[in-house]
Amino acid sequence: MTNFLQRFYIATALMVLSVTSSAVPTNMLIVYHIGNDDKLYQDFENALTDKLNTSVGSPTIFVEHLDLQRFSSVDYEKSVRALVMEKYANIELDIVIFNSVAAAKVFDFEHPLLANAHKFILERRDVSPFLASEYTFNLRLHPDYTKLIDVASRSTNSEHVYLLTPDDRQDSQLERIKQQLSSDAQKVSFIPLINTAQAINALSGLDQRSPLILMSNYSLSDGEILNPMQVARRISRIVNQPVFVAYDSLIFENVVGGHVVSSSLTADFLAEQIKRLLSGYSVDTQIDNVYSDVFNYRALNLQRLSADRLPHAHLILNKPASIFDLFLQELMYIVFVLLILSGLVVFMLYSNRLLRLKQDQLANSQISLQRIHKRMDVATNATQIGIWEFDLETSKLYWDQAMHSHHGMEAERFNQKLSSWLDILNVQDKVQLEALVNECIQTGKSWKLRYSVVVGNTTKYLVCNVAGVKDKNDNVIRLVGTVLNVTDSELHQQRLQEQRIKAEQATKAKSEFLANMSHEIRTPMNGVIGAADLLASTPLSEMQAQYANMIKSSAGGLLHILNDILDLSKIESGKLDIDPAPFELKTLVQQIMSSFTLEIARKKLKFKLHHSSYIPDVVNSDALRIKQVLFNLIGNAIKFTNEGMITLSIEFVPITGDANAGSLQFTVTDTGIGIPKSHQQRIFKSFEQVASNKDYIAKGTGLGLSISKKLAQLMGGDLSLKSEVDEGSAFTLLVPVTVAPKDSLNKLDSNVAIIPNLKAKRILVVDDNDINQTIVGQMLIDCGAHVQYAKDGSKAVSMFKDEHPDLILMDLLMPVMDGIESTKAIRAYEAEKQLPRTKIIALTAHALKGYEESCKAAGMDDYLTKPVNRNELYKACME
Ligand code: ADP
């Protein structure tokens, strides 16, 4: 079954393919029996060519008009036949179409030219089939007059029609039509067309409302043979009534229409049959459905016939093109123009909108400019900033109101010249302002000038700023600047300055007072300590030794307080210098620990030293000050701890990227009473004591931490605290240090007594205070020196001249002549006499910075402060 279907489909496809594509005749001859080339024939030929035209190719069509009706003799037919045969002798004809039996009859179908060709005969008249060979077809075309009459009468709404017939004597077709129409006899009048005159005559008398129907061929008795087209043309010119015809090719000019044999449909049918024949299929020789109702729009209009009456599915020719078609070009042009116009309008609207936008922007800018102006006004009024401008082109100076008011010059007096500004300034300001204006004109560089003007009785202080405005060539074209009235702040500054000076003077006075006081106290202290020292070095009973020690320790305590006060005043007056030098950390720690061993043991506390894995051996810093701070911290820790432990931990924190620099971090931790949070800031202030436990209050001056913190900061570090009440405190001293090589070591003062050999040394001790004289003298005598004394400077000078001592210890403040003066005199004498330089050591209770410098300037070699420390004295004497 499937096989069968497949074969069926393939066969059908092949058939369709062959029918549609391969069946193309190459050469085709069309033979008409009358000689004419009217539209009927052309339509037929064109349609036939169209239909047979395939993608493979199209046939070549040859056409012959035999004109048989004009020359109807047998000779003529023979001649024509011979002519045609001759003409196409070399052409292989595939198809020959005869447009009537009459035309076919002229030819001999057995002739080689026609024998192999497929032959078609189109016959309109009802004749018996012309069977010249088995390939001959008789295509009968019969215009359906019954329908034509019906169409004509319906479309004209006329009961009656005229049928223009050929001469009825020779036309059997007419007979047949008449028979056909016999039932409609009363409806149809036959008008035979015999000759032109008769026709004109007959037609001019017709009822103009009834349509006239033309039949096909006419031969007039006056010898004129007319084809239907010629007839139709003539008739339609003569008559006024609607004309209908039987062939579509006749519908032109005034012909209204008809139920016509369509030459194009006929050609379609014929082409189809030719294709079938060439493809080997059977052919249909009976033409049907080549009729259609066709109307001429123009003639319909002329006759005022309504299209409503026309039969269904009719075709209308010459229909006027729609307005759109007619005016397409114009329409295109209009559309184009409209497009351009609308483009223009859009452009105008857009540019208008742009314009409006720009205007809006301008308006907005103006508004914001006004606002800026307003703000500027408000700002300049509020801040009293004066604005000025100097136009280099016109050399005109412009001032705003604030400028006038700043300079106390009314606008009327102002002549817009730079000189009017310069002239009101004092000479110095004038020169400066002029120079700066010129500089700005040259370079465009901005500047600022502070100057003053006297307005009335007051002096106003003003600050002027300027900037150069340049053109596109980088030339300064004008200067624009401001002037600010700074009188208030200037006066304020001046007051502050005065207050500062006063404060500085007060601090200085305080420092000097403290220095003086400490000097005054130190001098007797020198005596007390020195005497106690000397006393202790003599053979004493146990009790006496104890008393001597008590004197020493009380005096030491007093000296500590004095030193604290002195340090503080030094720090506050900026006279305390940090003196960094390499020192050994180990020694420093040992010294501190040994100082507190006894006290720690006495309070039954534990002491722990802890240090990080790496601590540099020798560092560069101020060991004395570090020691001072740590002494204070450990002293406090012991003081405020009753049980538990005191820890000193040392850590070295190197600075990243530099192995030789870092910070030393000393933390003194105790398990004592702790410090309340609220007091932790206060304890670093001078004279503050904030023990949570009243038992501890007033043990000390409250200066230790304040000095320690300041010292730490002077060293570039800091002192900080963490503490909890009843748990303990931890003070951390941070000091930046650099690691120093071991050989740079500066041995710390040791407490090991130095006993120098001063034997045979003649030393002159100059001091107005007997006790001090004795103490210092005794210390030197203890070492074998030969000591002489002088009570004032002038005595010292004269003794020097007489005795030429090896060494002079010179007090500074003395009656008659002070130490500085006498030193200068000694140095002058030495110079005069060209004597070797004698060492002079200053000995003073003045411990303030500055004294040492003046001593050295006067020619002294060393400087010792009272109370004199035995070791320091010996060291100075030996150097
Ligand atoms: P003072 O010489 O009076 O001790 P400081 O400046 O050294 O003066 O200390 C100020 C106050 O800070 C002390 O009076 C004490 O109240 C508190 N203080 C200092 N160190 C400690 C500590 N380790 N534990 C508890 N309180 C301390």
Side-chain angles (χ1 to χ4, degrees):
M1 182 68 182
T2 322
N3 243 352
F4 169 76
L5 270 177
Q6 276 175 351
R7 264 187 272 146
F8 172 76
Y9 289 143
I10 292 166
T12 312
L14 282 174
M15 188 184 90
V16 169
L17 206 67
S18 59
V19 166
T20 52
S21 62
S22 66
V24 183
T26 320
N27 295 318
M28 201 156 85
L29 175 63
I30 301 172
V31 185
Y32 299 107
H33 76 283
I34 46 171
N36 210 320
D37 54 353
D38 62 27
K39 195 166 181 303
L40 170 74
Y41 301 154
Q42 279 166 31
D43 283 355
F44 176 73
E45 286 154 22
N46 290 343
L48 198 61
T49 315
D50 274 359
K51 285 288 159 184
L52 291 175
N53 202 358
T54 68
S55 57
V56 182
S58 56
T60 310
I61 293 186
F62 305 97
V63 176
E64 286 302 326
H65 296 274
L66 303 184
D67 217 357
L68 293 178
Q69 282 182 322
R70 195 187 300 227
F71 312 102
S72 56
S73 72
V74 177
D75 282 351
Y76 173 72
E77 285 186 16
K78 264 192 196 166
S79 310
V80 167
R81 183 171 55 234
L83 211 67
V84 173
M85 295 299 181
E86 179 73 29
K87 192 172 170 186
Y88 297 97
N90 296 325
I91 295 168
E92 203 173 304
L93 294 171
D94 301 312
I95 305 284
V96 181
I97 297 164
F98 301 95
N99 87 319
S100 67
V101 172
K105 275 182 179 166
V106 175
F107 292 95
D108 172 12
F109 279 22
E110 299 302 323
H111 188 278
L113 184 69
L114 297 178
N116 296 325
H118 299 296
K119 298 165 273 288
F120 291 83
I121 300 170
L122 298 172
E123 179 52 61
R124 294 170 192 79
R125 279 177 293 187
D126 196 11
V127 293
S128 51
F130 181 80
L131 301 170
S133 77
E134 58 183 301
Y135 297 111
T136 307
F137 299 92
N138 185 356
L139 305 175
R140 289 167 295 167
L141 296 170
H142 307 297
D144 190 337
Y145 286 97
T146 321
K147 277 207 171 146
L148 179 57
I149 289 162
D150 190 43
V151 165
S153 96
R154 272 169 192 272
S155 51
T156 53
N157 198 20
S158 167
E159 285 296 312
H160 182 254
V161 297
Y162 295 108
L163 194 65
L164 190 64
T165 65
D167 183 1
D168 56 4
R169 284 167 302 176
Q170 40 176 303
D171 203 328
S172 57
Q173 189 189 4
L174 183 61
E175 274 315 308
R176 192 174 45 81
I177 291 167
K178 278 184 174 168
Q179 275 171 16
Q180 255 178 30
L181 298 178
S182 56
S183 54
D184 286 333
Q186 76 284 7
K187 198 176 176 180
V188 185
S189 303
F190 293 89
I191 301 170
L193 187 72
I194 296 157
N195 58 46
T196 314
Q198 174 266 334
I200 292 169
N201 205 17
L203 294 172
S204 53
L206 297 181
D207 177 0
Q208 299 220 335
R209 282 164 304 162
S210 302
L212 177 64
I213 300 170
L214 306 186
M215 287 186 68
S216 53
N217 294 316
Y218 302 90
S219 56
L220 303 185
S221 60
D222 49 10
E224 196 175 3
I225 296 172
L226 298 176
N227 65 30
M229 204 177 308
Q230 289 167 318
V231 175
R233 196 171 283 146
R234 276 193 194 179
I235 298 302
S236 65
R237 277 188 209 133
I238 300 166
V239 298
N240 280 330
Q241 64 241 74
V243 177
F244 289 81
V245 292
Y247 292 92
D248 60 355
S249 56
L250 306 182
I251 299 169
F252 65 99
E253 291 190 5
N254 296 331
V255 174
V256 172
H259 184 73
V260 295
V261 175
S262 165
S263 40
S264 57
L265 287 180
T266 308
D268 285 356
F269 175 83
L270 192 60
E272 187 57 32
Q273 301 315 312
I274 288 170
K275 279 189 200 171
R276 288 180 66 82
L277 182 71
L278 294 180
S279 302
Y281 296 96
S282 63
V283 171
D284 187 0
T285 57
Q286 195 64 46
I287 293 185
D288 292 315
N289 298 325
V290 289
Y291 302 96
S292 63
D293 297 315
V294 180
F295 294 89
N296 182 0
Y297 182 82
R298 262 185 258 141
L300 275 172
N301 249 3
L302 220 72
Q303 295 292 334
R304 300 183 197 284
L305 292 174
S306 160
D308 296 350
R309 300 189 158 278
L310 305 185
H312 177 70
H314 60 271
L315 188 80
I316 291 192
L317 306 173
N318 297 325
K319 204 169 179 177
S322 65
I323 300 246
F324 178 79
D325 292 334
L326 279 178
F327 298 107
L328 183 64
Q329 219 174 334
E330 285 80 355
L331 209 67
M332 292 295 287
Y333 178 71
I334 288 167
V335 168
F336 178 70
V337 170
L338 276 178
L339 270 176
I340 288 192
L341 279 177
S342 49
L344 268 173
V345 168
V346 167
F347 175 73
M348 277 166 70
L349 284 176
Y350 181 68
S351 36
N352 197 28
R353 197 176 127 71
L354 270 186
L355 203 71
R356 241 182 302 132
L357 265 176
K358 285 265 177 263
Q359 280 172 346
D360 286 353
Q361 276 174 3
L362 204 70
N364 284 340
S365 313
Q366 276 173 346
I367 289 170
S368 34
L369 209 65
Q370 280 168 359
R371 277 203 197 129
I372 290 169
H373 270 297
K374 190 94 193 141
R375 277 206 293 269
M376 280 277 287
D377 281 351
V378 172
T380 50
N381 283 339
T383 54
Q384 280 298 295
I385 295 176
I387 296 176
W388 62 273
E389 187 179 319
F390 183 55
D391 191 329
L392 299 188
E393 212 176 307
T394 58
S395 290
K396 277 195 172 172
L397 180 67
Y398 299 93
W399 274 11
D400 73 348
Q401 195 48 46
M403 282 294 285
H404 287 293
S405 104
H406 286 344
H407 295 83
M409 185 190 280
E410 301 92 50
E412 298 77 53
R413 278 204 299 133
F414 181 67
N415 64 4
Q416 288 200 309
K417 289 200 174 122
L418 193 63
S419 59
S420 62
W421 188 2
L422 297 172
D423 290 347
I424 54 169
L425 305 183
N426 65 45
V427 184
Q428 198 190 341
D429 290 343
K430 180 181 173 168
V431 171
Q432 276 200 50
L433 182 63
E434 199 166 10
L436 290 173
V437 164
N438 285 333
E439 189 188 327
C440 191
I441 292 171
Q442 298 302 321
T443 61
K445 225 168 80 186
S446 329
W447 48 256
K448 192 174 186 175
L449 172 69
R450 197 180 187 88
Y451 65 96
S452 62
V453 283
V454 179
V455 179
N457 294 326
T458 53
T459 301
K460 277 191 175 180
Y461 295 94
L462 305 170
V463 172
C464 178
N465 278 291
V466 74
V469 178
K470 293 181 174 177
D471 63 7
K472 55 178 183 293
N473 299 326
D474 214 27
N475 294 323
V476 178
I477 47 168
R478 60 177 185 276
L479 313 186
V480 179
T482 58
V483 168
L484 187 64
N485 185 356
V486 293
T487 310
D488 287 348
S489 84
E490 180 73 29
L491 293 177
H492 183 65
Q493 284 293 325
Q494 283 178 5
R495 273 198 296 277
L496 279 181
Q497 178 78 355
E498 282 162 16
Q499 282 167 4
R500 197 168 56 81
I501 290 168
K502 274 187 197 155
E504 276 174 9
Q505 282 168 349
T507 313
K508 206 172 164 210
K510 185 184 92 182
S511 297
E512 271 167 13
F513 169 77
L514 284 173
N516 285 336
M517 279 303 294
S518 71
H519 175 260
E520 292 309 319
I521 300 168
R522 268 163 187 272
T523 309
M525 283 302 297
N526 195 33
V528 175
I529 294 172
D533 237 12
L534 289 172
L535 185 64
S537 63
T538 58
L540 294 173
S541 70
E542 199 177 319
M543 191 176 282
Q544 283 170 330
Q546 208 179 343
Y547 292 154
N549 274 338
M550 279 165 69
I551 295 170
K552 266 176 79 178
S553 111
S554 305
L558 199 57
L559 198 63
H560 184 75
I561 294 169
L562 267 180
N563 282 341
D564 270 3
I565 293 174
L566 200 64
D567 273 350
L568 193 70
S569 62
K570 274 185 187 172
I571 292 169
E572 281 180 354
S573 58
K575 285 176 180 166
L576 190 132
D577 279 337
I578 293 299
D579 188 13
F583 68 90
E584 202 179 25
L585 258 172
K586 202 166 70 184
T587 316
L588 179 125
V589 173
Q590 273 171 3
Q591 284 178 1
I592 294 170
M593 281 168 64
S594 64
S595 305
F596 291 104
T597 321
L598 268 176
E599 219 177 328
I600 286 171
R602 196 173 52 78
K603 282 194 87 172
K604 298 197 173 78
L605 299 171
K606 281 186 201 138
F607 184 85
K608 197 172 143 196
L609 177 70
H610 174 267
H611 57 81
S612 56
S613 57
Y614 168 71
I615 299 283
D617 292 329
V618 180
V619 294
N620 224 336
S621 189
D622 193 330
L624 215 67
R625 297 302 174 189
I626 294 176
K627 215 157 99 177
Q628 188 178 344
V629 176
L630 290 177
F631 260 88
N632 184 40
L633 296 180
I634 297 172
N636 279 345
I638 297 168
K639 191 156 71 172
F640 296 104
T641 306
N642 281 336
E643 53 183 28
M645 185 184 306
I646 311 246
T647 314
L648 168 63
S649 64
I650 309 166
E651 215 174 310
F652 178 71
V653 186
I655 292 176
T656 19
D658 188 352
N660 288 326
S663 294
L664 275 177
Q665 197 171 296
F666 302 91
T667 306
V668 178
T669 317
D670 64 49
T671 52
I673 59 170
I675 304 163
K677 288 259 173 331
S678 55
H679 295 156
Q680 288 183 5
Q681 289 300 316
R682 271 171 52 200
I683 57 162
F684 290 108
K685 292 191 175 141
S686 310
F687 307 108
E688 289 283 354
Q689 291 179 306
V690 288
S692 53
N693 183 332
K694 63 180 176 353
D695 296 347
Y696 296 92
I697 294 178
K699 281 187 182 172
T701 55
L703 284 177
L705 287 179
S706 160
I707 292 169
S708 299
K709 176 127 186 156
K710 284 174 176 139
L711 286 176
Q713 286 170 344
L714 273 175
M715 288 187 281
D718 204 2
L719 179 62
S720 57
L721 158 70
K722 275 186 188 161
S723 180
E724 290 290 337
V725 173
D726 293 337
E727 283 183 23
S729 311
F731 285 87
T732 302
L733 166 69
L734 194 79
V735 191
V737 294
T738 51
V739 179
K742 270 200 174 166
D743 50 11
S744 62
L745 205 57
N746 184 9
K747 279 264 183 277
L748 285 175
D749 292 347
S750 80
N751 290 332
V752 181
I754 313 162
I755 311 287
N757 185 4
L758 297 176
K759 267 198 182 114
K761 278 228 173 187
R762 288 175 308 115
I763 303 175
L764 175 61
V765 177
V766 189
D767 201 319
D768 61 328
N769 187 303
D770 289 342
I771 302 170
N772 283 345
Q773 258 188 19
T774 314
I775 289 166
V776 174
Q778 192 55 53
M779 284 177 181
L780 297 168
I781 292 164
D782 285 352
C783 297
H786 173 70
V787 181
Q788 287 178 303
Y789 301 98
K791 267 205 161 282
D792 61 57
S794 73
K795 282 210 181 87
V797 177
S798 62
M799 280 183 77
F800 170 78
K801 288 178 184 169
D802 299 339
E803 304 292 334
H804 296 295
D806 300 317
L807 177 73
I808 304 170
L809 288 163
M810 179 83 80
D811 187 25
L812 289 182
L813 288 178
M814 290 177 294
V816 190
M817 187 187 261
D818 67 15
I820 302 272
E821 288 302 306
S822 48
T823 305
K824 281 181 184 165
I826 291 167
R827 292 291 179 229
Y829 180 76
E830 277 176 349
E832 187 194 326
K833 300 286 173 193
Q834 294 188 334
L835 296 172
R837 186 183 167 100
T838 311
K839 185 171 183 177
I840 305 175
I841 300 169
L843 209 58
T844 178
H846 270 288
L848 281 186
K849 193 183 168 192
Y851 259 86
E852 197 173 340
E853 280 80 45
S854 27
C855 292
K856 293 216 165 131
M860 293 183 172
D861 301 294
D862 213 338
Y863 182 91
L864 289 175
T865 51
K866 292 179 196 169
V868 176
N869 175 295
R870 195 188 276 259
N871 274 353
E872 281 176 6
L873 176 68
Y874 291 164
K875 229 169 93 187
C877 291
M878 286 192 308
E879 277 166 2

